[in-house]
Amino acid sequence: MEQEFESNEIIDRLPAHLKQFIKPQNYEEYTPINQAVWRYVMRKNVEYLSQVAHASYLDGLRQTGISIDHIPNMYGMNRILKEIGWAAVAVDGFIPPAAFMEFQAYNVLVIASDIRQLEHIEYTPAPDIIHEGAGHAPIIANPEYAEYLRRFGEIGCKAISSAHDYEVYEAIRHLSIIKEAEDTPQQEIEAAEKRVDELQNKNPEPSEMAQIRNLHWWTVEYGLIGTVDNPKIYGAGLLSSIGESTWCMTDKVKKIPYTIEAAQQDFDITKPQPQLYVTPDFAHLSSVLEEFANKMALRVGGLEGLKKLINSKNIGTIELSTGIQISGNFSRVIEHEGKPVYFQTTGKTALAAREKELVGHGTENHPEGFGSPVGKLKGINLAIEDMSPRDLRAYDIYEGEKITFEFEGGVVVKGKIITGTRNLQGKVILISLKDCTVTYNDEMLFQPEWGKYDMAVGKEVISAFAGPADWHSFDMITHKPSSTTIKSKKTPEKQELESLYESVRNIREGKNTKFSLQAAFDILKKHHPKDWLLSVEIFELAHDKDEKLASEVLQHLEEVKSNRPEVAHLIDGGVNTVKSDFVAG
């Protein structure tokens, strides 16, 4: 795979199936308007969040080296993040939830490197660098929270999805892209919103992934910390939204103590949240996560776990009590008295132990699927895995012996034992037979002409989780997003406006520019009368140096407010920040 991004030791550890999502940041593509949007949001955020955010946020801004004046360069961020054991990579918008969480498990922060348009400065449904860089990165400087995030990733990437989840993911990704793009026809947005609504209103039984995504949303994205009466912000969605960080502190947003019940509370990514959850401290987040993990198929296994994998229609893994792991697309389970007694996969399947593929049992050895009984033998109290060498000899479970295994659930395996495979503890985990038939009642499950039969050994299914046990067993470099982020158009008018933004930026930074501040403002006023952000920036520079120009700018901004009432509060916010900075200075 051709590497187009700058790596480091933490990123090097990532498996190839995660690296496929990484893209270059292309810092030179950020326009002067993009930089001004970043600066406005960060100035407003730091001013406001210093009062309402958890103390870790401002400490983290300093520790992660995130500047108020410039969009962060990911490679510069990585040099600083490395000191706290993390790294950051750029991706294109939303990536599948399981991949997002697995990145976290490797201590890697996923950053959507595009930035919201000026028109969506307060909030965008699409992930962007303001949300990721200014929201997620600073708070992970808190070691307890960083460990929660890592652990969440580790557990979350094992959560089993449903086929419905993937449909919802693709629909939301598409909606977020076209909503953020310029000039998307309203009817196209409405059609995409309708599709999301239809899918979300189907209300199927929520999968593990749907539930753990809810927990992620109400903590990592939209979490409050402290008490219900006096909460502070730590969720990245709130930290990066100048609109919602203010809105969430009002009485219009219900505050609820954070418990595992939040797993059942759905969310709408395109609207402000009507309720938020408050954790007393970061330790409580980990406690609720463990409580949820204890209910997952990852730790419970059993019949329910197998059924979840069948419903997912994706590669998953079960682990039997001997430690043998079977990875593939599970298609069938035969049950008896509430327990699985036989399972079947379809298509490429691999066997592993301790997340490492067993020699001779990769997908090339099991290209058409794999089936095996589970449980104890009928009339024998001792499970095969618990038998000593003497017991195995006594029951004729020995190489070269013809044998009939009759399982409690009704599955019968007849054949001649070729060999057995043991784990590190010496337990038999796999028995291979030739001339073998496997039957259940009158149904033939395996017949001799199909070749060698490998029977997994285990009295129960102790774990079931998403993804393969050993990622090397399968070709996972297959992700093809249905849509990609739409870049903003470069019209002559937009290019002229960008050059004005650049000139004002150069003036602020003491660089040579072909325009004076007055000239830049005159062109702006004449040719771009709807733009408000550059006028705020000009006001900031003129405020204590050119009273006449500052007064002209304020008068112009009053006209913009009158013509565009929807941005009046943003203009007021920017002007007030300038004035309060001046007073503080």
Side-chain angles (χ1 to χ4, degrees), residues 464-491:
F465 54 88
D470 184 340
W471 287 99
H472 298 99
S473 299
F474 294 83
D475 174 17
M476 306 301 288
I477 319 297
T478 54
H479 181 71
K480 291 183 175 63
S482 57
S483 48
T484 54
T485 302
I486 300 162
K487 300 292 182 189
S488 130
K489 295 185 182 72
K490 289 279 187 189
T491 62

Short mmCIF file of all heavy atoms in Angstrom, two decimals, residues 464-491:
data_model
loop_
_atom_site.label_atom_id
_atom_site.label_comp_id
_atom_site.label_asym_id
_atom_site.label_seq_id
_atom_site.Cartn_x
_atom_site.Cartn_y
_atom_site.Cartn_z
N ALA A 464 -18.44 -13.87 21.62
CA ALA A 464 -18.78 -13.60 20.22
C ALA A 464 -18.56 -12.11 19.98
O ALA A 464 -19.03 -11.29 20.77
CB ALA A 464 -20.22 -13.99 19.93
N PHE A 465 -17.83 -11.78 18.92
CA PHE A 465 -17.55 -10.36 18.70
C PHE A 465 -17.37 -10.07 17.21
O PHE A 465 -17.16 -10.97 16.40
CB PHE A 465 -16.31 -9.91 19.48
CG PHE A 465 -15.06 -10.72 19.25
CD1 PHE A 465 -14.18 -10.41 18.22
CD2 PHE A 465 -14.75 -11.80 20.09
CE1 PHE A 465 -13.03 -11.15 18.02
CE2 PHE A 465 -13.59 -12.55 19.89
CZ PHE A 465 -12.72 -12.22 18.85
N ALA A 466 -17.46 -8.78 16.87
CA ALA A 466 -17.32 -8.35 15.48
C ALA A 466 -15.87 -8.44 15.03
O ALA A 466 -14.94 -8.25 15.82
CB ALA A 466 -17.82 -6.91 15.35
N GLY A 467 -15.70 -8.72 13.74
CA GLY A 467 -14.36 -8.75 13.16
C GLY A 467 -13.67 -10.09 13.35
O GLY A 467 -14.11 -10.93 14.13
N PRO A 468 -12.57 -10.30 12.62
CA PRO A 468 -11.84 -11.56 12.75
C PRO A 468 -10.95 -11.59 13.99
O PRO A 468 -10.58 -10.54 14.51
CB PRO A 468 -10.98 -11.59 11.48
CG PRO A 468 -10.82 -10.16 11.08
CD PRO A 468 -12.01 -9.42 11.58
N ALA A 469 -10.62 -12.79 14.45
CA ALA A 469 -9.69 -12.93 15.59
C ALA A 469 -8.30 -12.44 15.17
O ALA A 469 -7.65 -11.70 15.90
CB ALA A 469 -9.63 -14.38 16.04
N ASP A 470 -7.87 -12.86 13.99
CA ASP A 470 -6.57 -12.42 13.46
C ASP A 470 -6.85 -11.66 12.16
O ASP A 470 -7.32 -12.22 11.18
CB ASP A 470 -5.69 -13.65 13.17
CG ASP A 470 -4.27 -13.27 12.72
OD1 ASP A 470 -4.09 -12.12 12.25
OD2 ASP A 470 -3.37 -14.11 12.81
N TRP A 471 -6.56 -10.34 12.17
CA TRP A 471 -6.86 -9.51 11.01
C TRP A 471 -6.09 -9.95 9.77
O TRP A 471 -6.50 -9.66 8.64
CB TRP A 471 -6.55 -8.04 11.33
CG TRP A 471 -7.54 -7.43 12.26
CD1 TRP A 471 -7.42 -7.25 13.59
CD2 TRP A 471 -8.85 -6.96 11.91
NE1 TRP A 471 -8.57 -6.68 14.11
CE2 TRP A 471 -9.47 -6.49 13.10
CE3 TRP A 471 -9.57 -6.87 10.72
CZ2 TRP A 471 -10.75 -5.95 13.12
CZ3 TRP A 471 -10.85 -6.33 10.74
CH2 TRP A 471 -11.43 -5.88 11.93
N HIS A 472 -4.98 -10.67 9.97
CA HIS A 472 -4.20 -11.11 8.82
C HIS A 472 -4.89 -12.22 8.03
O HIS A 472 -4.51 -12.53 6.92
CB HIS A 472 -2.81 -11.59 9.27
CG HIS A 472 -2.00 -10.51 9.92
ND1 HIS A 472 -1.89 -10.39 11.29
CD2 HIS A 472 -1.29 -9.49 9.40
CE1 HIS A 472 -1.13 -9.35 11.58
NE2 HIS A 472 -0.75 -8.79 10.45
N SER A 473 -5.91 -12.82 8.64
CA SER A 473 -6.58 -13.95 7.99
C SER A 473 -7.43 -13.53 6.79
O SER A 473 -7.73 -14.34 5.92
CB SER A 473 -7.49 -14.68 8.99
OG SER A 473 -6.74 -15.21 10.06
N PHE A 474 -7.87 -12.29 6.78
CA PHE A 474 -8.81 -11.85 5.75
C PHE A 474 -8.28 -10.61 5.03
O PHE A 474 -7.52 -9.82 5.60
CB PHE A 474 -10.17 -11.49 6.38
CG PHE A 474 -10.88 -12.67 6.98
CD1 PHE A 474 -10.57 -13.10 8.26
CD2 PHE A 474 -11.87 -13.35 6.27
CE1 PHE A 474 -11.21 -14.20 8.83
CE2 PHE A 474 -12.52 -14.43 6.83
CZ PHE A 474 -12.19 -14.87 8.11
N ASP A 475 -8.70 -10.44 3.78
CA ASP A 475 -8.38 -9.22 3.05
C ASP A 475 -9.38 -8.15 3.49
O ASP A 475 -10.54 -8.17 3.09
CB ASP A 475 -8.49 -9.45 1.54
CG ASP A 475 -8.29 -8.15 0.76
OD1 ASP A 475 -7.76 -7.18 1.35
OD2 ASP A 475 -8.68 -8.10 -0.43
N MET A 476 -8.94 -7.23 4.34
CA MET A 476 -9.85 -6.21 4.88
C MET A 476 -9.65 -4.86 4.19
O MET A 476 -10.24 -3.86 4.60
CB MET A 476 -9.61 -6.04 6.39
CG MET A 476 -9.70 -7.34 7.18
SD MET A 476 -11.30 -8.17 7.03
CE MET A 476 -12.32 -7.08 7.98
N ILE A 477 -8.80 -4.83 3.16
CA ILE A 477 -8.54 -3.55 2.46
C ILE A 477 -9.60 -3.39 1.38
O ILE A 477 -9.33 -3.43 0.18
CB ILE A 477 -7.12 -3.49 1.85
CG1 ILE A 477 -6.09 -4.09 2.81
CG2 ILE A 477 -6.75 -2.07 1.47
CD1 ILE A 477 -5.95 -3.36 4.13
N THR A 478 -10.84 -3.24 1.80
CA THR A 478 -11.95 -3.29 0.85
C THR A 478 -12.90 -2.12 0.98
O THR A 478 -13.90 -2.06 0.29
CB THR A 478 -12.77 -4.57 1.10
OG1 THR A 478 -13.16 -4.59 2.48
CG2 THR A 478 -11.97 -5.81 0.78
N HIS A 479 -12.61 -1.17 1.90
CA HIS A 479 -13.59 -0.11 2.15
C HIS A 479 -13.66 0.85 0.96
O HIS A 479 -12.68 1.46 0.59
CB HIS A 479 -13.22 0.67 3.42
CG HIS A 479 -14.23 1.76 3.72
ND1 HIS A 479 -15.49 1.48 4.16
CD2 HIS A 479 -14.14 3.10 3.61
CE1 HIS A 479 -16.15 2.62 4.32
NE2 HIS A 479 -15.36 3.62 3.99
N LYS A 480 -14.86 0.98 0.40
CA LYS A 480 -15.09 1.94 -0.67
C LYS A 480 -16.27 2.80 -0.25
O LYS A 480 -17.41 2.36 -0.32
CB LYS A 480 -15.39 1.23 -1.99
CG LYS A 480 -14.19 0.50 -2.56
CD LYS A 480 -14.52 -0.13 -3.89
CE LYS A 480 -13.29 -0.76 -4.53
NZ LYS A 480 -12.74 -1.86 -3.76
N PRO A 481 -16.01 4.05 0.20
CA PRO A 481 -17.13 4.88 0.66
C PRO A 481 -18.08 5.19 -0.49
O PRO A 481 -17.66 5.33 -1.64
CB PRO A 481 -16.45 6.16 1.16
CG PRO A 481 -15.11 6.17 0.53
CD PRO A 481 -14.73 4.73 0.30
N SER A 482 -19.38 5.25 -0.17
CA SER A 482 -20.39 5.51 -1.20
C SER A 482 -20.35 6.97 -1.64
O SER A 482 -20.87 7.32 -2.69
CB SER A 482 -21.77 5.17 -0.65
OG SER A 482 -22.01 5.93 0.52
N SER A 483 -19.74 7.85 -0.83
CA SER A 483 -19.66 9.27 -1.19
C SER A 483 -18.42 9.86 -0.53
O SER A 483 -17.98 9.38 0.51
CB SER A 483 -20.91 10.01 -0.72
OG SER A 483 -21.21 9.68 0.62
N THR A 484 -17.88 10.90 -1.15
CA THR A 484 -16.71 11.56 -0.57
C THR A 484 -17.01 13.04 -0.39
O THR A 484 -17.91 13.59 -1.03
CB THR A 484 -15.46 11.40 -1.47
OG1 THR A 484 -15.80 11.86 -2.78
CG2 THR A 484 -15.01 9.97 -1.56
N THR A 485 -16.22 13.67 0.48
CA THR A 485 -16.44 15.08 0.78
C THR A 485 -16.35 15.93 -0.49
O THR A 485 -15.46 15.73 -1.32
CB THR A 485 -15.40 15.57 1.81
OG1 THR A 485 -15.53 14.75 2.97
CG2 THR A 485 -15.62 17.00 2.19
N ILE A 486 -17.29 16.87 -0.61
CA ILE A 486 -17.35 17.73 -1.80
C ILE A 486 -16.59 19.02 -1.51
O ILE A 486 -16.90 19.72 -0.54
CB ILE A 486 -18.82 18.04 -2.18
CG1 ILE A 486 -19.57 16.72 -2.47
CG2 ILE A 486 -18.89 18.98 -3.37
CD1 ILE A 486 -21.08 16.84 -2.44
N LYS A 487 -15.58 19.30 -2.33
CA LYS A 487 -14.78 20.50 -2.11
C LYS A 487 -15.54 21.75 -2.56
O LYS A 487 -16.35 21.71 -3.46
CB LYS A 487 -13.45 20.42 -2.89
CG LYS A 487 -12.58 19.23 -2.50
CD LYS A 487 -12.04 19.39 -1.10
CE LYS A 487 -11.14 18.22 -0.72
NZ LYS A 487 -10.76 18.24 0.69
N SER A 488 -15.20 22.89 -1.91
CA SER A 488 -15.87 24.13 -2.24
C SER A 488 -15.41 24.66 -3.60
O SER A 488 -14.29 24.42 -4.02
CB SER A 488 -15.59 25.05 -1.09
OG SER A 488 -15.18 26.15 -1.24
N LYS A 489 -16.34 25.32 -4.31
CA LYS A 489 -16.05 25.80 -5.67
C LYS A 489 -15.20 27.07 -5.63
O LYS A 489 -15.34 27.88 -4.73
CB LYS A 489 -17.36 26.08 -6.41
CG LYS A 489 -18.22 24.85 -6.65
CD LYS A 489 -19.44 25.22 -7.48
CE LYS A 489 -20.35 24.02 -7.69
NZ LYS A 489 -21.07 23.62 -6.49
N LYS A 490 -14.35 27.22 -6.67
CA LYS A 490 -13.46 28.39 -6.74
C LYS A 490 -13.98 29.34 -7.83
O LYS A 490 -13.55 29.28 -8.97
CB LYS A 490 -12.04 27.95 -7.08
CG LYS A 490 -11.34 27.21 -5.95
CD LYS A 490 -10.81 28.19 -4.95
CE LYS A 490 -9.96 27.48 -3.89
NZ LYS A 490 -9.61 28.35 -2.79
N THR A 491 -14.91 30.21 -7.51
CA THR A 491 -15.38 31.21 -8.46
C THR A 491 -14.44 32.42 -8.39
O THR A 491 -13.76 32.62 -7.38
CB THR A 491 -16.80 31.66 -8.11
OG1 THR A 491 -16.76 32.27 -6.81
CG2 THR A 491 -17.77 30.49 -8.08
#
